[in-house]
Amino acid sequence: MEKSDHKKGVIYIIASAFCFALMNLFIRLTGDVPTLQKCFFRNLFALAIAMASLAKAGIPFRPGKGNVKYMVMRSLTGGLGMMCNFYAVDHMDISDASMLNKLSPFFAVVFSALLLKEKANKFEWGAVICAFIGMLFVVRPSFDIKVIPALAGVAGGLGAGIAYTFVRVLGTRGEKSMIVVAFFSGFTTLLLLPYLIFNFKPMTPVQWMFLVLTGLAAAGGQIGITSAYSCAPAKEISVYDFSIVIFAAVFGFVFLGQIPDVLSFAGYFIIIGTALLKWYYTVIRPAKAEKA
């Protein structure tokens, strides 16, 4: 892999994190619209963009043979994870919600071992344990009802971690990434359609505007992360995805007046620090050893 491709991958994944942080901000700014209604329109707009991209590229929407079952599992787990993430964003600081959603790489280690039989070494399991310790600082478990959004945020990261495991399976089977995106958006849109029909809440023009911006930001984030992983391996650039927490903290402070507390910052430090250590031991140190 050329250095230019690696740099492109880093730029794409940071741009993706910026877009997803914007998405979380727009979710919150949409106001008192029901969470599932927000999810429906987020996916409807993302579906339109994905189908337009496929049409422009001249790629037919035709999943590869034997891939539909993996796409359904990716869509179910990813869709449930997205709904939990939206709920968390609606009810807690967006930087905290973003951090909990980024537990997904650590969950992916667990489920890759369980579902794909990919053996993780002791260091990787240690990283998972450290990440969960950091999670406890952000969640602060209690018997108070306030813990529910935080648990939803953890569930969002869990769902995303399982979904990424199935994305990995689809990648090894040669499935086109934009078809995966379109299938996910279409599946979750249909899944939420009955809810919308019976529970639709009228929205103001401003709320419609923020929902459209949510869909555009989500599509930008999805395209960015897809482009990033086409330029460089996930293990080399995924650590830069944690920049979403910085963007979310800035947006939360500027637009919502949110300031994470000391325990949240401690959790961020542990989780991001663990990700950086994992990146060093799996990417940087082996590269240095090869040059020696």
Side-chain angles (χ1 to χ4, degrees):
M1 182 186 67
E2 297 181 0
K3 287 186 177 179
S4 60
D5 288 335
H6 183 273
K7 287 181 180 179
K8 284 181 183 178
V10 171
I11 292 170
Y12 280 134
I13 204 164
I14 292 175
S16 169
F18 179 81
C19 287
F20 280 129
L22 271 180
M23 181 194 78
N24 286 346
L25 173 65
F26 294 144
I27 290 168
R28 191 64 175 260
L29 291 176
T30 304
D32 61 354
V33 176
T35 299
L36 294 184
Q37 187 166 318
K38 293 180 184 182
C39 291
F40 174 85
F41 285 106
R42 177 265 192 229
N43 285 289
L44 182 64
F45 297 138
L47 173 62
I49 293 169
M51 293 304 291
S53 299
L54 287 173
K56 185 177 180 181
I59 301 172
F61 181 69
R62 191 181 302 124
K65 186 178 180 181
N67 286 349
V68 171
K69 61 184 178 182
Y70 298 113
M71 286 191 171
V72 169
M73 291 305 298
R74 179 265 182 273
S75 299
L76 276 174
T77 54
L80 291 171
M82 177 196 63
M83 294 173 204
C84 290
N85 179 53
F86 272 43
Y87 181 84
V89 169
D90 267 336
H91 295 86
M92 63 190 302
D93 287 1
I94 60 173
S95 56
D96 282 2
S98 298
M99 184 76 268
L100 293 175
N101 192 251
K102 288 306 164 188
L103 288 169
S104 54
F106 300 103
F107 282 121
V109 170
V110 176
F111 286 97
S112 291
L114 293 175
L115 301 177
L116 304 183
K117 307 304 179 186
E118 293 182 349
K119 293 183 178 179
N121 58 37
K122 291 181 180 179
F123 178 79
E124 288 173 320
W125 284 119
V128 169
I129 293 169
C130 287
F132 283 117
I133 292 172
M135 173 196 73
L136 294 176
F137 280 87
V138 179
V139 173
R140 296 186 284 282
S142 68
F143 294 104
D144 195 300
I145 195 170
K146 292 179 180 178
V147 79
I148 293 176
L151 293 178
V154 175
L158 174 65
I162 300 173
Y164 291 154
T165 304
F166 286 109
V167 168
R168 177 174 169 76
V169 173
L170 289 163
T172 61
R173 294 174 64 87
E175 190 59 80
K176 292 181 174 63
S177 58
M178 196 51 68
I179 289 180
V180 177
V181 172
F183 188 98
F184 168 71
S185 300
F187 184 93
T188 46
T189 298
L190 289 174
L191 188 68
L192 290 167
L193 184 59
Y195 171 86
L196 189 81
I197 292 172
F198 294 105
N199 299 280
F200 178 77
K201 180 178 179 179
M203 297 181 288
T204 66
V206 172
Q207 288 175 324
W208 276 109
M209 178 190 73
F210 281 124
L211 269 181
V212 171
L213 290 173
T214 296
L216 290 173
Q222 194 66 58
I223 292 169
I225 204 164
T226 302
S227 300
Y229 290 141
S230 68
C231 291
K235 69 177 184 178
E236 295 186 9
I237 62 173
S238 60
V239 68
Y240 295 100
D241 199 20
F242 283 91
S243 59
I244 187 176
V245 180
I246 299 171
F247 295 132
V250 172
F251 293 155
F253 175 73
V254 173
F255 296 102
L256 302 172
Q258 297 175 346
I259 303 176
D261 61 21
V262 174
L263 288 176
S264 287
F265 276 118
Y268 300 169
F269 178 81
I270 294 170
I271 295 170
I272 296 175
T274 300
L276 286 169
L277 278 175
K278 187 172 181 289
W279 175 64
Y280 176 80
Y281 278 101
T282 57
V283 178
I284 302 301
R285 197 169 73 162
K288 288 182 177 179
E290 285 184 11
K291 291 180 181 178

